[in-house]
Amino acid sequence: MVRWFCFAAILATLLAPGTFQAPAPAEIAFDGSADFLKLPTDTYLGEVAGVATNSRGQLFVYTRSGNPTVGLGNSRLFAHGGSRLFEFDRNGTFVREIGQGIYAFLVAHAVRVDPQDNVWIVDEGSNQVVKFNADGRVLMILGRKPEAVSIRVPSPNPSAAPPSRGSSGAPGAGGAGDQFVRPSDVAFDSEGNIFVADGHGANARIAKFDRNGRFLLSWGSRGSDTGQFNVPHSIATDTQGNVYVADQGNKRIQVFDGKGGFKSQMTNVGVPHAVCVSGGAHQYLYSSHAGDQYGMDDAAIYKLALDGRVVAKFGTAGKQLKQFGLVNAIDCRTENSLYVGELTNWRVQKLTLHPGR
Amino acid sequence: MKAIFLLAAILAAPPAFGQTKAKAQNVPEISYESVPGFLKLPANLYLGEGIGVATNSKGHVFVYTRSGDTRLFEFDQNGTFVRELGQGLYGFEFAHAVRVDRDDNIWAVDEGSNMVIKFTPDGRVAMVIGRRPEAVEGLVAATPGAPEPQPEPYVFSRPTDVGFDAAGNIFVTDGYGNSRVVKFDKNGRFMKQVGTKGNQPGQLNLPHTMAMDANGNVYVGDRSNARVQVFDNDLNFKTMYDNVGNPWAVCISPGPHQYLFVSNSIPDNGLAQYRDITGEIYKMELDGTIIGRFGKPGKQLGEFSTVHEIDCRNPNELFVAEITAWRVQKILLRPTSSAR
């Protein structure tokens, strides 16, 4: 898929009738720290898919730890494990693990904390969204895990899009419910409604549920028109209830009202992987860009006003501090103190921004 | 994930390895002994297949083993168990090599996860190269005979070994799937690669092991081509040594006079026809001159059962990891007249 993006990017460049040269956005001075989190000696992070803080500054990290347990059935494989959820205090000290051995933990994709400090995980392997309360107990499940790992023979036509799940409508529109296909992210509005980005697979939609998990509506299908998606990879809401969707394959962030009405799009953010709307009275939108599939050639984080104006960008690709290896999550509860989770660098970086410097 | 690998092995059974008799003749025998019971494991810990072994500057011994899980253990210079590293690590699936760099960082090469992992001396992950495939949408059965895709800079296909030069550049042999040697800078950024599958000079057929000398030359055990190929630091082909059988493991000792050790291991299928033509380790000068040989195949103490990695920090006190005997032996070489 990523290779396809690169190809599309090259094609778009070649076909561009005239190159519009926007002024280079300002840089923000910043520091990066990768040893903020103190893990027990026998505990390791793998690919960090999600990182989020709660109102007390505690950190939750959802990581692809590997080593799932796979049971052999008759032509079927049963898998669980493979991802873990850790909690740290505001100083980075390890507090505990949450959800040990839980049925939904397979391939981590996101963790988010809602306004009531509930902790939500999104797992693209089990196709599930799980809500934990602040004590770490399960409160709600969206989606159902496939019973077994599928084994497929190679497709004679690998480029054919797989059918979306539970829908006879437009490709990727999905069904009227919570049958997710590799869901990627979750967000909430002030009324407690739940928005799920769905996702990495056959569906290309945003599904909205009420606070009790009852399906309300969904919008989007596969494509590049406004309101359509090509991998809705990350999602965030502002205090007005607007929904920001990182439409990764279309290289844009689309903005919708809470009912899915298209409002605007931002096309000056590279290839968005993770979005976050900061807390506080004056909100900003952060978006991580990764222009290559390795996180080694082209990466940055953009800081945008909510109207789409680029305030600044910072960072490069690579494995050193202040470099980014496929940032899959940003926590921006505090505007100038970010936590980013990186897939290819197996770490959480704490970024301290110095906008005035 | 173990079961998946089992299944993959069934679906795509590899061809049997060939193993050849070394061409070198009349090689002096080096006398040696094996230290019995050197590694002392706690009662509840076991080694599986002895895949990787390496020492650090303090003489601590790191063992990378395929047990129920692939695991990395540390022992002190007396063989006493110290600790485990990387418990349940995302990159640990199917061990292939462990090496220690000049700063005592520990590097693991895992051919199951396609990852190269750098640990600091205190056992935390400092850097990873490569990316484990995401098995999100289930498994796709392998297509028999399908060509390997073109190698990508940061994606390995069953990598086998890692080495370092004085500048900290990182070299990876890659491997069972790809047929190349890749050079990265000290920060893990791709610099260069060499090799395609074949038997011409500079081509590779299962680059299985590698070592570097003090001048930054790269010695690659080109196992299925039955030769050690030498490349300079920019990965230009220099020369090859094709008289010491099929190199499963190579090692170059440090110090002012460096030696090259090459193991012509008995294949892991243990077939009787290989018993008389394999199982020995060669001690050589870096220019390929053979000093002597030692060892024979077998399961007893002092015999070798598919040597998979050699540590030669001290050229007279080797550690050898053996696949099929599930062990690491400490081997003491007696000085020879040609040893200087």
Side-chain angles (χ1 to χ4, degrees):
Chain A
M1 189 58 82
V2 182
R3 233 171 299 162
W4 189 89
F5 296 155
C6 295
F7 176 71
I10 293 164
L11 202 67
T13 309
L14 292 176
L15 296 179
T19 312
F20 167 70
Q21 196 70 44
E27 295 274 335
I28 296 183
F30 73 107
D31 297 316
S33 162
D35 56 4
F36 177 75
L37 299 183
K38 268 76 76 179
L39 281 148
T41 51
D42 63 350
T43 306
Y44 292 82
L45 297 180
E47 295 191 340
V48 175
V51 59
T53 59
N54 68 11
S55 64
R56 292 183 291 160
Q58 289 174 301
L59 271 88
F60 299 87
V61 177
Y62 194 31
T63 179
R64 299 172 185 169
S65 54
N67 296 287
T69 301
V70 179
L72 290 173
N74 187 358
S75 306
R76 295 194 295 173
L77 298 174
F78 305 96
H80 68 274
S83 289
R84 299 172 77 181
L85 178 60
F86 298 129
E87 179 179 345
F88 301 84
D89 72 13
R90 59 186 305 118
N91 301 313
T93 305
F94 181 83
V95 175
R96 60 173 173 169
E97 179 169 2
I98 297 171
Q100 295 94 325
I102 205 169
Y103 190 60
F105 284 4
L106 198 56
V107 182
H109 205 275
V111 60
R112 297 279 192 177
V113 176
D114 70 18
Q116 290 74 43
D117 276 352
N118 299 300
V119 181
W120 297 68
I121 64 92
V122 181
D123 193 290
E124 64 158 322
S126 68
N127 293 336
Q128 292 193 299
V129 177
V130 180
K131 175 186 185 182
F132 297 90
N133 67 15
D135 293 330
R137 305 309 305 179
V138 173
L139 290 187
M140 189 194 292
I141 307 289
L142 295 176
R144 187 175 180 231
K145 180 179 173 177
E147 292 185 356
V149 177
S150 60
I151 304 172
R152 295 166 288 131
V153 295
S155 166
N157 182 10
S159 62
S164 61
R165 212 171 152 211
S167 168
S168 55
D178 58 355
Q179 291 188 72
F180 306 126
V181 185
R182 299 181 64 189
S184 49
D185 205 356
V186 63
F188 322 95
D189 66 16
S190 58
E191 295 168 8
N193 294 310
I194 305 153
F195 300 87
V196 176
D198 176 31
H200 252 294
N203 289 347
R205 61 162 184 165
I206 305 300
K208 181 179 181 181
F209 305 85
D210 73 10
R211 59 190 304 128
N212 299 314
R214 188 179 302 274
F215 176 81
L216 295 175
L217 59 104
S218 68
W219 71 87
S221 59
R222 182 171 310 286
S224 57
D225 290 343
T226 55
Q228 292 189 310
F229 302 111
N230 185 350
V231 185
H233 196 261
S234 182
I235 187 172
T237 53
D238 64 19
T239 53
Q240 309 300 314
N242 297 308
V243 181
Y244 299 79
V245 180
D247 184 11
Q248 186 183 83
N250 288 325
K251 301 170 68 175
R252 64 185 177 187
I253 295 170
Q254 295 195 65
V255 188
F256 301 90
D257 65 29
K259 292 179 176 165
F262 175 81
K263 295 184 77 170
S264 63
Q265 63 180 6
M266 309 169 188
T267 57
N268 51 352
V269 292
V271 182
H273 282 235
V275 290
C276 180
V277 174
S278 63
H282 190 126
Q283 296 189 293
Y284 290 95
L285 175 68
Y286 288 96
S287 178
S288 69
H289 155 72
D292 69 297
Q293 61 179 305
Y294 313 115
M296 290 300 292
D297 296 326
D298 181 17
I301 292 178
Y302 287 82
K303 181 179 184 181
L304 300 118
L306 294 187
D307 64 7
R309 180 175 49 89
V310 176
V311 176
K313 71 183 272 204
F314 53 94
T316 57
K319 298 180 184 298
Q320 298 173 264
L321 285 182
K322 302 174 65 173
Q323 296 184 330
F324 303 130
L326 299 191
V327 169
N328 205 64
I330 304 173
D331 178 88
C332 63
R333 183 177 290 270
T334 309
E335 180 191 331
N336 290 315
S337 180
L338 309 182
Y339 297 95
V340 298
E342 297 169 73
L343 290 181
T344 51
N345 289 339
W346 295 12
R347 67 184 178 188
V348 172
Q349 255 192 103
K350 180 177 183 177
L351 308 180
T352 305
L353 311 188
H354 308 290
R357 195 182 281 179
Chain B
M1 200 50 74
K2 275 69 190 177
I4 292 177
F5 274 89
L6 185 72
L7 191 85
I10 295 166
L11 291 174
F17 304 127
Q19 193 77 4
T20 50
K21 182 174 167 58
K23 294 178 197 163
Q25 293 181 9
N26 303 317
V27 177
E29 289 286 337
I30 301 174
S31 65
Y32 69 102
E33 61 182 290
S34 175
V35 178
F38 180 77
L39 294 184
K40 289 160 279 285
L41 279 147
N44 62 346
L45 274 190
Y46 297 82
L47 292 186
E49 293 186 336
I51 299 300
V53 61
T55 60
N56 71 9
S57 64
K58 294 186 289 186
H60 283 213
V61 184
F62 297 87
V63 178
Y64 197 28
T65 179
R66 295 174 188 163
S67 192
D69 293 317
T70 271
R71 302 171 80 172
L72 179 58
F73 298 130
E74 179 178 353
F75 302 84
D76 71 11
Q77 63 278 13
N78 301 313
T80 304
F81 179 80
V82 175
R83 60 171 174 170
E84 178 171 3
L85 289 80
Q87 293 94 328
L89 195 74
Y90 187 63
F92 280 5
E93 192 61 64
F94 206 55
H96 204 270
V98 61
R99 299 280 186 180
V100 175
D101 69 21
R102 66 188 58 237
D103 300 315
D104 276 350
N105 300 301
I106 305 120
W107 296 70
V109 181
D110 194 290
E111 66 139 314
S113 69
N114 291 337
M115 299 293 305
V116 176
I117 302 140
K118 175 187 183 181
F119 294 91
T120 60
D122 59 359
R124 305 310 305 180
V125 173
M127 183 165 70
V128 296
I129 308 177
R131 187 151 186 223
R132 180 173 192 149
E134 292 179 277
V136 180
E137 292 187 320
L139 293 173
V140 180
T143 309
E148 275 286 326
Q150 280 297 105
E152 300 177 47
Y154 299 100
V155 180
F156 302 121
S157 181
R158 301 181 63 189
T160 52
D161 207 352
V162 63
F164 322 94
D165 66 16
N169 296 312
I170 303 152
F171 295 75
V172 177
T173 41
D174 174 38
Y176 283 86
N178 296 327
S179 302
R180 62 174 180 166
V181 184
V182 196
K183 179 180 182 180
F184 301 92
D185 74 9
K186 65 181 179 182
N187 297 315
R189 199 169 289 282
F190 176 88
M191 297 176 76
K192 198 172 183 182
Q193 66 179 17
V194 69
T196 53
K197 186 160 188 168
N199 58 14
Q200 298 302 303
Q203 289 191 308
L204 298 159
N205 189 355
L206 184 43
H208 189 261
T209 172
M210 63 161 289
M212 300 194 64
D213 68 19
N215 295 318
N217 297 306
V218 187
Y219 297 70
V220 178
D222 185 12
R223 191 175 105 185
S224 295
N225 282 330
R227 63 190 182 186
V228 174
Q229 290 198 65
V230 185
F231 299 88
D232 71 15
N233 194 258
D234 291 321
L235 297 177
N236 301 304
F237 174 81
K238 289 182 75 172
T239 184
M240 65 172 95
Y241 313 139
D242 63 355
N243 54 349
V244 287
N246 296 66
W248 282 63
V250 298
C251 182
I252 293 177
S253 61
H257 189 130
Q258 298 190 284
Y259 297 100
L260 169 67
F261 293 89
V262 181
S263 176
N264 181 35
S265 307
I266 183 169
D268 48 342
N269 57 29
L271 290 176
Q273 66 256 37
Y274 298 121
R275 201 165 48 210
D276 296 331
I277 62 169
T278 62
E280 77 281 16
I281 295 175
Y282 292 88
K283 182 179 183 182
M284 307 166 73
E285 303 286 358
L286 294 185
D287 67 3
T289 306
I290 296 173
I291 297 167
R293 51 170 276 176
F294 56 95
K296 61 176 182 177
K299 299 178 189 297
Q300 298 182 75
L301 194 68
E303 297 177 334
F304 295 140
S305 73
T306 319
V307 170
H308 196 267
E309 189 167 349
I310 303 171
D311 176 87
C312 62
R313 186 177 289 268
N314 180 337
N316 295 314
E317 292 187 9
L318 308 182
F319 290 91
V320 297
E322 297 160 76
I323 301 180
T324 44
W326 292 13
R327 68 183 176 188
V328 169
Q329 290 191 79
K330 182 175 184 177
I331 301 294
L332 307 179
L333 300 187
R334 302 240 172 77
T336 57
S337 56
S338 48
R340 281 155 280 180

